[in-house]
Amino acid sequence: KLYSIVDKDTCIACGACGMAAPELYNYDEEGLAYFLLDDNKGNTPIPEDLKLDAEDAQEGCPTGSIKLADVSFEGKIPEKR
Ligand code: F3S
């Protein structure tokens, strides 16, 4: 399974993720992205047919704010590296 969460602290509201994966990423009132399926908790697996979109979004984010992992994020943003 593949999970996703957006690091809103580093998101600059560029809008690329919602273009790459409109079914997975949406924007709050400030234009910052969040993972749509579980309100950015990162605990709902990405549907099989949307995994490529998620990977495109991750690759296209200029700030590395789209996080993907094969385990649930449980609402926590991974440590910055
Ligand atoms: Fe933000 Fe990256 Fe999306 S900067 S709007 S998470 S492409």
Side-chain angles (χ1 to χ4, degrees):
K1 290 197 170 71
L2 189 67
Y3 298 85
S4 183
I5 196 168
V6 179
D7 186 345
K8 292 183 137 195
D9 289 342
T10 59
C11 173
I12 55 170
C14 84
C17 52
M19 298 283 283
E23 291 161 281
L24 297 176
Y25 303 100
N26 202 351
Y27 309 106
D28 68 13
E29 58 286 345
E30 295 173 9
L32 301 176
Y34 63 93
F35 183 61
L36 189 53
L37 303 191
D38 55 22
D39 201 22
N40 214 42
K41 302 279 189 301
N43 55 18
T44 300
I46 295 170
E48 203 63 41
D49 60 335
L50 295 177
K51 281 184 180 177
L52 283 177
D53 283 1
E55 286 164 4
D56 284 349
Q58 183 188 42
E59 282 167 24
C61 177
T63 58
S65 302
I66 304 284
K67 310 298 183 188
L68 296 178
D70 54 10
V71 291
S72 168
F73 289 96
E74 307 285 3
K76 291 196 193 65
I77 308 294
E79 295 295 318
K80 306 203 174 38
R81 276 165 245 181

